[in-house]
Amino acid sequence: MHKVAVLPGDGIGQEIMPEAVKVLDKLGEFSYVYADVGGAAIDKHGKALPEETLKACRQSDAILFGAVGGPKWEKLPPEQQPERAALLPLRKIFDLYANLRPAKIFKPLAGASPLKPEIIGEGIDILIVRELTSDVYFGQPKGIEGTGDNRRGFDMMQYTAREVKRIAKTAFEAALKRNKKVTSIDKANVLHTMVLWRETVAEVAKKYPQVELNNMYVDNASQQLVKWPHQFDVILAGNMFGDILSDEAAIITGSLGMLPSASLNEKNFGLYEPVHGSAPDIAGQKKANPIAQILSAGMMLKYSFGMQKEAQRVEDAVLKTLEDGYRTGDIMTEGCQKVNTQEMGDLIAERI
Ligand code: NAD
């Protein structure tokens, strides 16, 4: 039986998590260990990631995470703030270097996208695979030195072949389960780091002859994403370029409450969470859209538990619920029926 560490966190995390568990329970038998994280954990245990929570994660096969943070904890020193003191250590401790963010437009929600209907067509389905633990964000040296006009800020962009190989492998493996196409993003025309990136990705690609590999400069990719998004299946990118492109891809889907994510390590242990935060403005009002959390649970089935069929059933049930005209407030359009968080969870669970 798969064991899941369930960390609802703060704000709407507490409301959307039960809906994801409800859907999981329709698909199999899982054992859950609930633990506090974020602001809720600071209030109860004095820190955002208590020992017991870490233990629960270590003893589980995957972590299902809600969201953390809120105005109550914003005045704490940065290193004690819920996001920084909970999520960053979890990523580090479990070496969660592969961030997977699907940017999918379900056809019934095409109207929410800022892109023209003729560009969206039948919907968009892209998976962004972003390296999460290296690149210019972590490279040394970094800092600010000197004085006056000679003051200098610097950050080292760097990748080792090992780091590129493992994230490229994640992208190719993911492409095998999708439309067998990887677009690798770089800036090999000006950056040495990216020459190594391109060469290493090409090497990994040799092991996946079924998958088509294209290389694209990051500036071109940012244009292509809004001009012709259908050309993409899996986008593979380093930490910084992936950071920027995944947000661009998120906004073209038009709805934050719909976007799941996964962060994986080499053993396919993963942390699964919605892309959005704790939404303090609507917390406790039953207005939150639980779909991002439910789809995150679906990703857990697919990537950590190898339950492809069940993962597909989650996506199909979400699509069917939207086709049947049910909407939470954030995705509401004329002629649809407005439902609350719990009702949306029930409707999706019924359609599994
Ligand atoms: P947010 O994502 O929480 O909310 C942005 C807007 O989107 C809000 O208007 C909110 O009501 C709406 N929204 C978000 N998710 C929704 C959902 N599921 N259904 C309906 N509407 C939804 O971002 P924010 O307001 O910038 O941040 C709020 C708090 O969350 C902050 O403390 C921030 O640090 C934290 N945060 C946490 C994470 C995380 O836990 N991974 C990520 C981002 C932000």
Side-chain angles (χ1 to χ4, degrees):
M1 193 192 293
H2 295 294
K3 197 166 171 185
V4 185
V6 183
L7 278 47
D10 306 316
I12 62 166
Q14 296 283 343
E15 298 165 62
I16 56 181
M17 188 61 86
E19 306 314 315
V21 171
K22 195 185 278 175
V23 170
L24 283 175
D25 284 341
K26 283 270 182 171
L27 289 160
E29 265 193 62
F30 303 94
S31 109
Y32 305 107
V33 200
Y34 284 81
D36 296 313
V37 72
I42 294 175
D43 290 352
K44 254 200 212 168
H45 313 273
K47 55 200 252 199
L49 185 63
E51 243 350 277
E52 303 93 278
T53 303
L54 205 46
K55 197 170 150 203
C57 296
R58 284 205 168 100
Q59 291 174 347
S60 299
D61 303 315
I63 305 169
L64 191 57
F65 193 96
V68 291
K72 187 173 173 193
W73 306 282
E74 266 164 19
K75 292 200 179 72
L76 288 172
E79 65 281 4
Q80 288 173 30
Q81 298 235 347
E83 261 187 279
R84 193 150 155 194
L87 267 174
L88 296 192
L90 279 173
R91 283 181 188 155
K92 200 164 171 208
I93 291 164
F94 292 102
D95 194 21
L96 304 174
Y97 65 88
N99 185 224
L100 273 56
R101 272 171 64 164
K104 181 165 177 158
I105 299 185
F106 290 91
K107 205 175 168 216
L109 295 185
S113 170
L115 297 186
K116 291 179 189 155
E118 59 266 33
I119 293 179
I120 295 170
E122 287 297 298
I124 287 169
D125 186 1
I126 302 169
L127 177 69
I128 306 221
V129 175
R130 167 191 168 195
E131 200 286 329
L132 206 57
T133 52
S134 183
D135 201 355
V136 69
Y137 294 166
F138 292 91
Q140 292 292 343
K142 57 168 69 246
I144 300 177
E145 63 181 19
T147 53
D149 284 351
N150 290 327
R151 212 161 162 244
R152 186 175 83 97
F154 51 96
D155 298 272
M156 171 73 95
M157 178 178 264
Q158 62 175 23
Y159 265 115
T160 63
R162 177 182 174 269
E163 288 168 338
V164 181
K165 270 183 199 162
R166 65 180 189 171
I167 191 69
K169 181 168 178 266
T170 305
F172 282 98
E173 293 286 340
L176 281 179
K177 295 176 193 151
R178 297 172 44 98
N179 293 323
K180 302 189 177 54
K181 197 171 162 189
V182 169
T183 307
S184 173
I185 308 300
D186 62 43
K187 191 76 186 165
N189 47 346
V190 278
L191 297 168
H192 289 94
T193 316
M194 290 292 126
V195 172
L196 177 99
W197 175 279
R198 191 176 279 214
E199 287 173 2
T200 312
V201 171
E203 223 176 277
V204 175
K206 286 184 195 148
K207 296 191 195 113
Y208 297 89
Q210 319 90 307
V211 179
E212 178 190 339
L213 168 68
N214 292 303
N215 297 296
M216 195 179 274
Y217 296 137
V218 62
D219 37 358
N220 184 24
S222 69
Q223 298 175 23
Q224 295 298 327
L225 257 177
V226 288
K227 199 175 149 197
W228 185 28
H230 290 282
Q231 70 186 286
F232 298 109
D233 176 27
V234 174
I235 293 181
L236 164 64
N239 205 342
M240 180 162 67
F241 297 159
D243 188 2
I244 298 164
L245 291 181
S246 62
D247 265 27
E248 186 185 351
I251 198 67
I252 67 178
T253 70
S255 41
L256 202 49
M258 300 286 303
L259 296 171
S261 78
S263 304
L264 305 175
N265 69 17
E266 273 172 348
K267 295 184 181 128
N268 286 339
F269 177 90
L271 181 147
Y272 298 84
E273 58 169 338
V275 165
H276 62 72
S278 58
D281 54 334
I282 56 162
Q285 301 171 36
K286 298 185 181 171
K287 286 182 181 167
N289 183 348
I291 294 180
Q293 186 78 69
I294 290 170
L295 292 172
S296 299
M299 288 187 83
M300 176 176 79
L301 299 178
K302 185 167 179 176
Y303 292 103
S304 281
F305 301 163
M307 298 169 72
Q308 317 289 346
K309 267 194 224 140
E310 288 81 355
Q312 190 56 49
R313 285 171 69 194
V314 175
E315 286 204 19
D316 292 347
V318 168
L319 177 61
K320 185 79 178 71
T321 308
L322 296 171
E323 279 172 354
D324 290 345
Y326 297 104
R327 303 279 189 277
T328 42
D330 57 314
I331 50 173
M332 184 63 191
T333 43
E334 231 182 278
C336 290
Q337 187 175 335
K338 197 167 170 182
V339 294
N340 68 28
T341 309
Q342 206 185 331
E343 289 163 340
M344 183 56 102
D346 288 341
L347 289 160
I348 294 170
E350 269 167 29
R351 284 162 178 74
I352 292 283

